[in-house]
Amino acid sequence: MLDAGRRKLVEVRDLKMYFPIYSGLLRRHTGDVKAVDGVSFDIFEGETLGLVGESGCGKSTVGRALLRLYELTGGSVVIDGDDVAKLSPEALRQKRPTMQMVFQDPQASLNPRMTLAGIIGEPLDEHTSLTAPEKLARIYQLMDQVGLNRNFANRYPHEFSGGQRQRIGIARALALNPKFIVCDEPIAALDVSIQAQVVNLLEELQDRLGLTYLFISHDLSMVRHIADRVAVMYLGQIAELSPRDELYAQPLHPYAIALLSAVPEPDPSREGARQRIILQGDVPSPANPPKGCNFSTRCPQVQAICHRLQPDLIEVAPLRFVACHFVQPQQAQPAGSTGGTEATEPTQQGVNA
Amino acid sequence: MKLKTALLGAAAAFAMAPAAFAERGADGQLNIIYWQAPSILNPYLSSGTKDVESASMVLEPLAGFNEKGEVIPRLVTEVPTVENGGVSADLTSITWKLTPGLLWSDGTPVTSADAVFTWQYCTHPEGGCAQAARYEGVTSVEAPDDLTIKVNFAAPKPNPYQAFVGATSPLLQAKQFAECLGAKAPECTAANFGPIGTGPFMVTEFKTNDTVQMVANPNYRDPAKPAFASVNFKGGGDAQAAARSVLETGEFDYAWNPQLAPEVLAGMEAAGKGKVFAAFGTLVERIEINMTDPDPALPEGMRSTAAHPHPILSDIRVRQALSMAIDRNLLVEVGYGSSGRATCNLVPAPELYASDNTGCLTQDIEGAKKLLEEAGWMPGADGIREKDGKKLKLLYQSSTNAVRQDFQALVKGWWNEIGIEVELKNVDASVFFGGDPGSPDTFQKFYADVEMYANNFDGTDPEPYLAQYTCEKAPKPESQWQGENINRFCDPAYDALVAELGKTGEMAKRGEIARQLNDMLTKDSFVVIPLVDRGRTSAASNTLGGVVMNAWDSELWNTSDWYRVK
Amino acid sequence: MLTFTIRRLLLAIPTLLFISLIIFLLLDMAPGSPMSQIPLTVPLEVRLKMIEALGANDPIFFRYINWLHKFFVIEPLHVFDGLFGTTFAGDSLRELSWQSRSPVADVIAQRIPQTLTVIGMSYLLGILIALPIGIYSAYRQYSWFDQLGTFISMIGFSVPTFFTGVLLIVVFSVKLHWFPSIYDTTLKVTDWASFGKQVKQMTMPVAVLGLYNAAQISRYMRSSMLENLTQDYVRTARAKGLSERVVVLKHVLRNSLIPVVTVIALGIPTIFGGAIITEQVFKVNGLGQLLITAIYANDLPMVQTLTFIFAVLIVLFNLVADILYGILDPRIRYD
């Protein structure tokens, strides 16, 4: 199912996004909020990478930084051959059509004073030289694609329901035939009944248009549904990056284990056996992360080394990357047996020879 | 060297004699600023100084007053007197002879019919004429021929120079105002804003409460005058800005009444662009003593009436002590500088009527204390004098005005020094002088022990002014609190003397009686405590020649003689 | 929108009638008399006669009805006559000022041009300065430009116009002789020279009031921009690959202008109110000076008419602001 030889569309290396803190009378630069601190991953063409984590872990920042909606503090983001982090403003503008974003709050992310046609059509004005009828045709085509009635073209965002607005957001993102779309919690603000519709629409569009997604969400079940691989973030760093099934079946990083223990099982018999791990303490401030492993303050398996050294994200099994001193390639065992799940053979997984 | 001296001499000769070579309209524009803007140019509908004086450049009376207070002819050949037969021997009529050939600015002749009309205009019962007092006692005005005007009085009029004399009583053109009699008077906006006159200038544009534009009157009786071709008469702003525009920036030639602190004015004069002129008339800032009891405990209708004499101030020794404690020269220095003089008289001018009373000019705190002790007021424990368990305490009111509040503070200090407790109060001028019988704060109602304001009289004759202090003129509830005898002074001897003044025609005798009346109010009874004789001031540019300040008439009385100093 | 406008206009009628009654009663109860400025030398009988001639002693109810009749019937007829040369108004007595005895409406009409040129210009100038400053200050929040802009608007806010006005006069008129200290209301612009003079005499009053207006409006603009700059739709616009200019000027600015435009509309009646202090300082004898002199002189017909006109303008421009909001913001619907 995974093709290791497939082309990497997005390559992220050591991405850092710090937000400066100014304080005092003269507003001196006194520190940084390290929202994203050294994140690296790849996204293959046509796949969906899920990015999960608690609120405030930096997952949305990663999404925005990837499209350079922020000026990066460090690292590189190569998308389809160009390092987005280093493009000049004009070159970046030219690059925009290849990478798009679907936002969390469809109400706030649409300009309230523009009609639906205006919103969807604006990128076309900016990046294409279509004539007015061609443009209208394209707008109608996009509206059809996302399932919006053509009669709505001249309405304003506030006249739509949440689900419809998200469809507008998707149509707008699709307008310029992007290759890569960051979906930043696209369903978080929607009713549960609408969520499935939107996710299905995204999947359908991916099949039809060969899109690549970075799907950011805190809804682990939804990520399980849509993602091919999943990255778990904690405090600005990736704790584990694994193919979806392996991760859900057997998480390796202590944080991933704890996080996934919170996912309810659809099967009542297994749900009964599920043991929830409650982590102690609060998430440390990203302005002042702990020394060593950034999970060391809450980790159930914490050891002395964790307070001194920061573990690297290493491939402990084929396509499974974990950042923990106690999950090493030779054992590829979960850091502890607290999870109670039986270890499956790592060799069986992932590699499609 | 010789040539240079000769040239300088020639130049000096030219500079010295611009008036001699003057030609009408040769000196360009005259810029005048009044910080109170004229509202209307018909003095019969408004008696505001700004209105009367701006109109005086256009409208003229038959005769006016010069800077010495003497009557001078304007539209007549000479001033009628008993000696030249112009005033009848029994003082019941005066006959004026118009200068032949006089023209209105529209080119029509000035006739005696205009004077008859003017009298009718102002005495119309529905007109609400602001200058009706000028025509009081006039039974008729006759026009035996085109140039003769005969004014008949109901009773002998020792001072016949009222009607048609001075800027408040000018001649109107009968033709222009024919439709404006009585209730119609306010509707004639065009005439009220642009009266046709005989003065040196005529109105081209009038913007109410803003500006008046005038040009030289082509039909003015002196073909060489006025020297200025046009006048820009600007109104509005404040006294300081007006003074500044003449003395510092030189934008204006003449500013009316730069009523500023003496040191501010001196600082502006230092810029060297102009000077402040002062003239002294009859305006006296004074403290009036309430002879009746203003005690709030008294029922309404009884307070401040003759039925209840003042418990403290009915004693002349207390009143005298109040006067003695005041240092008038310091007040002048603080409040008025060169535009004020200390005075002990209610009638400080003209010379004929001014008493030589100077006794009050030296402050005498010790003497004041002694007087109070004689009167039985002994110092109490807290420094306040007491008598029969009653404290010597006075309420001292005035209108709201920076100088008056300074004066109040100073006087309070001196009175405190002699052991009198003083409570100060100031009332907004529009209420204080508003005369509303429903308000407790008018100066007529006098719900205070002493009050301070300024007053003067119109023209040069003090008779009506002194007659204000007769018994029956006291404000009282029955007269809706109207009346001029503010301090409710009542002395039959005084009333008798006023009556005698009304019957006396001989000037020397009139002067003697007037001085006596003045003394009865001031140094003999201390019912009125005069403080400062306030002059009129104006600022004029150094480039403006011919300005002669006049306290007896409009201060723009001689604009026909004004010229540009080159 | 139309029915909304009509409904609001109809509602305004009783409101304004009520306001006019309140103004009338307040003015009547205020102390002072039209005779207070008359010299004390004018005898009592003459004063009483004058008050009678003004009609100031009539019963209050009679005077109020009389005023209403003149304001709503006679004066409009006169205006109509003046425009079309008809004679509907005939000989009817107009509302006369007690000070000048001339029709109140004529005096007001005479003052409007002065006020509109000076005060209106300063408002316009204030807006023109304020918008770019507000936009750029918000876009570069906490930059030195923003700090400077904040400082200047603090000065504009907190230093009263009578101080800045007099300061400018002392510096530029008294010391440097660049500008006149007294505004010449009779100046007519006929050629370049007189135009230059007009510009010169308008410079200082316009600068003083402009600073004050700019200070206020730039603050509104800045905060409105700041609010919108952080909105999600701005991120969307950037993600669309729009140039920064388009993002700021099209997306952010247009949305930010909605509240600013209504604030500007609400401020327009204050132009007609004239700036009493600035007009006094520079001797621009406009509506503000007219009002203050009328108040000093207890000229009730003038004060009543002026304040009522201001009330009408305020009610009207409140409606205009509401309608503008409805037009500019598609989320607002009044029907």
Side-chain angles (χ1 to χ4, degrees):
Chain A
M1 51 197 228
L2 282 178
D3 185 354
R6 272 195 303 177
R7 191 165 82 92
K8 291 172 178 170
L9 184 70
V10 179
E11 292 172 69
V12 181
R13 291 294 171 268
D14 201 24
L15 177 67
K16 285 193 176 114
M17 189 62 236
Y18 296 172
F19 296 101
I21 301 168
Y22 297 100
S23 59
L25 191 65
L26 297 171
R27 301 192 55 78
R28 284 184 198 286
H29 182 188
T30 51
D32 293 293
V33 174
K34 295 175 180 169
V36 179
D37 195 10
V39 162
S40 304
F41 60 87
D42 301 325
I43 306 175
F44 297 101
E45 197 160 19
E47 83 162 335
T48 299
L49 177 70
L51 187 57
V52 299
E54 316 168 56
S55 1
C57 73
K59 55 189 191 299
S60 279
T61 309
V62 169
R64 290 169 191 173
L66 244 52
L67 301 189
R68 203 164 137 197
L69 293 174
Y70 294 135
E71 287 304 316
L72 306 187
T73 311
S76 69
V77 177
V78 177
I79 297 178
D80 203 16
D82 296 309
D83 186 353
V84 174
K86 293 187 176 58
L87 287 178
S88 70
E90 182 53 28
L92 177 69
R93 217 171 63 73
Q94 302 293 341
K95 182 79 184 169
R96 290 265 180 229
T98 40
M99 48 192 203
Q100 280 299 323
M101 188 154 185
V102 174
F103 293 94
Q104 171 175 7
D105 183 347
Q107 163 91 52
S109 63
L110 299 174
N111 189 333
R113 292 188 54 224
M114 289 174 80
T115 60
L116 198 160
I119 291 168
I120 301 177
E122 198 185 23
L124 300 173
D125 292 334
E126 197 68 20
H127 296 283
T128 67
S129 49
L130 297 178
T131 62
E134 284 171 340
K135 205 176 85 183
L136 190 63
R138 174 73 180 137
I139 291 168
Y140 283 149
Q141 185 195 355
L142 286 162
M143 288 173 68
D144 293 344
Q145 272 182 0
V146 299
L148 285 168
N149 189 325
R150 288 186 175 196
N151 295 332
F152 296 167
N154 287 319
R155 294 201 183 170
Y156 288 93
H158 69 273
E159 295 170 87
F160 294 94
S161 69
Q164 284 172 315
R165 280 190 209 128
Q166 196 56 290
R167 287 170 194 266
I168 299 170
I170 295 167
R172 180 204 62 72
L174 292 175
L176 293 167
N177 294 317
K179 293 182 177 166
F180 174 53
I181 296 181
V182 175
C183 302
D184 184 5
E185 309 236 20
I187 52 170
L190 302 180
D191 283 354
V192 181
S193 58
I194 310 293
Q195 289 182 351
Q197 287 179 19
V198 172
V199 167
N200 289 340
L201 173 67
L202 285 171
E203 283 192 310
E204 185 192 321
L205 290 168
Q206 185 173 39
D207 290 345
R208 191 140 33 107
L209 305 170
L211 297 170
T212 305
Y213 290 146
L214 175 67
F215 192 92
I216 301 168
S217 180
H218 59 259
D219 184 337
L220 296 166
S221 318
M222 203 52 89
V223 170
R224 186 178 198 169
H225 175 73
I226 193 169
D228 300 311
R229 291 189 301 144
V230 178
V232 179
M233 269 189 86
Y234 180 77
L235 205 61
Q237 292 175 343
I238 291 181
E240 178 168 355
L241 170 59
S242 295
R244 179 227 332 191
D245 294 335
E246 284 89 327
L247 181 79
Y248 280 83
Q250 188 202 20
L252 299 176
H253 192 280
Y255 177 67
I257 295 164
L259 188 67
L260 290 171
S261 75
V263 180
E265 283 286 343
D267 179 351
S269 59
R270 281 162 70 189
E271 172 67 12
R274 185 168 71 95
Q275 277 187 302
R276 223 171 139 201
I277 302 167
I278 308 292
L279 291 175
Q280 300 299 311
D282 292 323
V283 183
S285 159
N288 187 21
K291 210 166 162 294
C293 174
N294 65 5
F295 189 53
S296 59
T297 53
R298 301 172 77 198
C299 185
Q301 280 88 43
V302 66
Q303 308 274 330
I305 186 174
C306 301
H307 293 297
R308 278 185 290 109
L309 284 179
Q310 189 180 347
D312 292 327
L313 185 69
I314 47 173
E315 189 163 16
V316 295
L319 284 171
R320 297 206 67 173
F321 299 85
V322 178
C324 180
H325 292 298
F326 307 106
V327 185
Q328 294 303 323
Q330 47 275 52
Q331 56 190 61
Q333 289 287 328
S337 50
T338 4
T341 47
E342 276 200 26
T344 42
E345 278 300 306
T347 43
Q348 290 175 353
Q349 290 169 5
V351 188
N352 192 350
Chain B
M1 207 54 200
K2 259 189 170 170
L3 180 69
K4 197 179 171 190
T5 322
L7 280 174
L8 277 175
F14 267 105
M16 295 303 279
F21 297 117
E23 184 191 331
R24 177 177 295 159
D27 283 353
Q29 178 161 294
L30 169 65
N31 294 303
I32 298 176
I33 184 163
Y34 267 53
W35 55 268
Q36 283 183 2
S39 304
I40 188 167
L41 288 182
N42 182 350
Y44 289 114
L45 293 184
S46 168
S47 44
T49 312
K50 60 206 173 69
D51 304 317
V52 171
E53 297 200 347
S54 52
S56 75
M57 298 173 75
V58 177
L59 295 171
E60 285 182 295
L62 298 179
F65 298 96
N66 67 6
E67 73 276 16
K68 297 189 203 87
E70 297 158 353
V71 180
I72 50 158
R74 291 183 83 105
L75 302 179
V76 290
T77 50
E78 61 172 349
V79 175
T81 58
V82 179
E83 289 75 43
N84 65 20
V87 177
S88 67
D90 62 356
L91 306 179
T92 54
S93 74
I94 183 169
T95 307
W96 303 87
K97 288 280 184 189
L98 282 170
T99 309
L102 274 182
L103 295 178
W104 292 102
S105 61
D106 64 355
T108 57
V110 178
T111 69
S112 49
D114 292 314
V116 175
F117 174 80
T118 303
W119 168 68
Q120 287 166 344
Y121 180 87
C122 188
T123 51
H124 194 286
E126 284 165 31
C129 176
Q131 310 297 353
R134 308 292 302 184
Y135 297 93
E136 209 180 87
V138 174
T139 49
S140 66
V141 176
E142 295 167 37
D145 63 59
D146 272 2
L147 297 179
T148 309
I149 299 155
K150 185 161 182 259
V151 181
N152 297 313
F153 303 113
K157 197 105 174 163
N159 173 31
Y161 310 117
Q162 295 250 2
F164 307 120
V165 181
T168 48
S169 180
L171 221 52
L172 295 179
Q173 193 193 34
K175 192 176 70 165
Q176 192 186 18
F177 285 89
E179 297 296 310
C180 309
L181 280 173
K184 290 257 181 208
E187 290 177 54
C188 292
T189 305
N192 292 335
F193 281 5
I196 292 167
T198 55
F201 297 97
M202 55 187 225
V203 182
T204 52
E205 190 187 7
F206 179 84
K207 290 183 174 174
T208 181
N209 284 352
D210 184 9
T211 58
V212 193
Q213 300 289 299
M214 301 181 214
V215 294
N217 174 2
N219 294 309
Y220 190 58
R221 55 185 174 275
D222 185 340
K225 291 173 180 175
F228 287 101
S230 61
V231 178
N232 172 28
F233 196 113
K234 170 86 180 179
D238 52 279
Q240 182 158 15
R244 186 192 295 126
S245 69
V246 170
L247 298 175
E248 288 191 297
T249 69
E251 288 164 84
F252 281 79
D253 297 311
Y254 187 90
W256 166 78
N257 194 13
Q259 203 182 49
L260 297 171
E263 68 273 14
V264 174
L265 217 47
M268 286 188 176
E269 267 184 302
K273 283 201 151 57
K275 276 194 290 291
V276 176
F277 291 77
F280 291 92
T282 58
L283 185 64
V284 172
E285 185 82 29
R286 82 288 291 275
I287 291 174
E288 300 263 5
I289 307 276
N290 194 346
M291 301 299 284
T292 59
D293 193 356
D295 189 348
L298 290 172
E300 198 61 26
M302 285 302 192
R303 265 181 98 179
S304 286
T305 61
H308 298 269
H310 198 287
I312 300 169
L313 295 171
S314 295
D315 185 340
I316 183 171
R317 288 169 296 193
V318 178
R319 302 200 297 266
Q320 189 179 355
L322 293 180
S323 173
M324 285 166 81
I326 295 170
D327 182 350
R328 290 167 173 78
N329 288 311
L330 185 62
L331 290 179
V332 169
E333 204 176 300
V334 167
Y336 296 98
S338 64
S339 65
R341 319 189 271 214
T343 186
C344 302
N345 291 321
L346 186 61
V347 179
E351 218 170 316
L352 174 67
Y353 301 107
S355 171
D356 58 357
N357 173 17
T358 54
C360 73
L361 296 184
T362 325
Q363 186 188 27
D364 183 1
I365 295 277
E366 288 315 310
K369 285 181 179 167
K370 204 137 97 231
L371 268 178
L372 289 176
E373 263 148 50
E374 275 172 31
W377 292 98
M378 292 304 165
D382 51 358
I384 307 297
R385 288 178 191 270
E386 290 171 12
K387 180 174 157 182
D388 310 329
K390 214 170 138 15
K391 280 195 182 289
L392 184 45
K393 182 173 182 246
L394 298 177
L395 174 60
Y396 175 11
Q397 73 176 11
S398 188
S399 72
T400 309
N401 164 316
V403 175
R404 292 214 167 110
Q405 267 72 77
D406 282 351
F407 275 29
Q408 279 187 311
L410 283 168
V411 171
K412 178 181 177 173
W414 292 317
W415 288 352
N416 284 344
E417 212 177 319
I418 61 171
I420 302 174
E421 191 183 345
V422 182
E423 186 189 335
L424 298 183
K425 174 176 176 183
N426 64 77
V427 181
D428 185 83
S430 68
V431 176
F432 194 61
F433 297 118
D436 176 3
S439 165
D441 290 324
T442 62
F443 79 110
Q444 288 106 330
K445 234 176 200 175
F446 208 164
Y447 282 178
D449 301 302
V450 294
E451 67 184 2
M452 178 171 69
Y453 60 91
N455 199 357
N456 62 339
F457 55 94
D458 210 3
T460 52
D461 184 68
E463 185 194 327
Y465 185 55
L466 290 166
Q468 289 176 356
Y469 290 87
T470 52
C471 296
E472 89 276 2
K473 291 203 171 154
K476 43 190 171 283
E478 305 86 74
S479 68
Q480 292 300 306
W481 296 101
Q482 305 297 334
E484 293 96 2
N485 183 359
I486 299 305
N487 25 30
R488 292 89 160 123
F489 169 74
C490 189
D491 182 348
Y494 186 89
D495 290 13
L497 206 51
V498 167
E500 194 187 330
L501 180 61
K503 284 182 281 199
T504 310
E506 192 197 334
M507 290 313 267
K509 184 79 184 140
R510 284 179 69 78
E512 197 183 305
I513 297 172
R515 290 197 296 272
Q516 210 179 331
L517 288 169
N518 171 73
D519 291 350
M520 287 176 85
L521 291 171
T522 56
K523 73 173 177 188
D524 297 345
S525 70
F526 297 97
V527 166
V528 178
I529 303 176
L531 302 174
V532 180
D533 176 12
R534 285 170 52 189
R536 264 185 187 187
T537 54
S538 282
S541 161
N542 289 337
T543 67
L544 183 64
V547 175
V548 178
M549 272 302 276
N550 186 339
W552 307 105
D553 205 334
S554 161
E555 59 181 77
L556 302 177
W557 66 297
N558 70 335
T559 45
S560 59
D561 298 337
W562 290 9
Y563 59 91
R564 178 72 63 210
V565 176
K566 298 208 170 72
Chain C
M1 192 75 96
L2 187 67
T3 52
F4 167 77
T5 310
I6 292 169
R7 197 174 67 231
R8 281 280 300 262
L9 284 174
L10 287 176
L11 263 175
I13 293 171
T15 314
L16 285 172
L17 278 176
F18 184 68
I19 291 175
S20 76
L21 179 67
I22 295 292
I23 297 176
F24 204 93
L25 292 175
L26 277 176
L27 287 178
D28 192 72
M29 283 189 289
S33 135
M35 294 296 111
S36 62
Q37 281 200 331
I38 285 189
L40 296 181
T41 50
V42 173
L44 169 70
E45 308 82 69
V46 178
R47 284 164 184 270
L48 292 177
K49 274 266 160 62
M50 288 175 78
I51 290 186
E52 201 179 308
L54 291 174
N57 271 354
D58 295 336
I60 177 158
F61 180 70
F62 175 79
R63 278 186 289 136
Y64 177 62
I65 297 296
N66 200 2
W67 177 83
L68 279 183
H69 176 68
K70 283 174 176 164
F71 189 90
F72 287 104
V73 181
I74 295 179
E75 292 299 336
L77 281 178
H78 272 280
V79 171
F80 190 83
D81 287 355
L83 289 176
F84 302 103
T86 51
T87 51
F88 288 124
D91 268 351
S92 49
L93 190 60
R94 301 181 63 180
E95 178 74 5
L96 297 180
S97 152
W98 285 351
Q99 270 183 101
S100 66
R101 306 297 184 88
S102 62
V104 165
D106 290 359
V107 182
I108 294 173
Q110 193 182 55
R111 293 304 180 93
I112 286 177
Q114 260 135 252
T115 290
L116 283 193
T117 40
V118 178
I119 315 298
M121 185 59 77
S122 66
Y123 201 63
L124 203 66
L125 185 84
I127 296 169
L128 289 181
I129 296 175
L131 295 191
I133 290 182
I135 294 165
Y136 197 74
S137 288
Y139 188 63
R140 292 262 177 267
Q141 195 187 7
Y142 301 134
S143 66
W144 68 266
F145 182 92
D146 182 32
Q147 309 279 12
L148 189 72
T150 307
F151 179 68
I152 291 176
S153 32
M154 278 303 141
I155 289 179
F157 255 129
S158 49
V159 181
T161 49
F162 63 77
F163 180 80
T164 41
V166 172
L167 187 75
L168 286 193
I169 287 180
V170 168
V171 172
F172 293 104
S173 296
V174 177
K175 300 284 177 222
L176 298 172
H177 298 289
W178 287 3
F179 304 114
S181 70
I182 303 219
Y183 189 91
D184 180 3
T185 47
T186 59
L187 183 71
K188 290 184 178 65
V189 176
T190 50
D191 51 16
W192 284 109
S194 55
F195 178 75
K197 260 188 159 175
Q198 176 68 15
V199 169
K200 244 178 152 183
Q201 67 171 347
M202 276 174 65
T203 305
M204 289 200 295
V206 167
V208 165
L209 266 187
L211 173 71
Y212 179 72
N213 290 328
Q216 290 193 320
I217 299 168
S218 72
R219 290 282 99 180
Y220 277 117
M221 188 71 237
R222 178 177 178 273
S223 65
S224 178
M225 279 288 286
L226 281 178
E227 198 176 299
N228 276 284
L229 270 169
T230 53
Q231 294 285 314
D232 283 358
Y233 72 84
V234 179
R235 198 173 290 125
T236 313
R238 292 222 170 89
K240 279 176 180 175
L242 305 179
S243 66
E244 201 57 21
R245 225 172 56 85
V246 176
V247 171
V248 174
L249 295 185
K250 189 175 166 194
H251 288 260
V252 183
L253 179 58
R254 284 196 191 172
N255 280 294
S256 311
L257 274 178
I258 297 172
V260 177
V261 164
T262 55
V263 165
I264 290 174
L266 287 176
I268 289 177
T270 63
I271 301 180
F272 287 88
I276 291 175
I277 291 166
T278 315
E279 286 189 1
Q280 284 283 91
V281 168
F282 292 100
K283 272 65 73 183
V284 183
N285 292 339
L287 292 172
Q289 188 260 3
L290 185 65
L291 178 63
I292 197 76
T293 48
I295 290 172
Y296 278 138
N298 286 293
D299 184 354
L300 295 195
M302 182 65 85
V303 178
Q304 165 78 16
T305 308
L306 274 175
T307 41
F308 185 67
I309 289 176
F310 298 156
V312 172
L313 286 172
I314 288 168
V315 169
L316 206 66
F317 276 92
N318 263 297
L319 177 62
V320 167
D322 283 352
I323 292 174
L324 269 179
Y325 217 114
I327 292 171
L328 292 174
D329 191 338
R331 284 169 295 185
I332 308 245
R333 278 290 167 268
Y334 294 118
D335 297 328

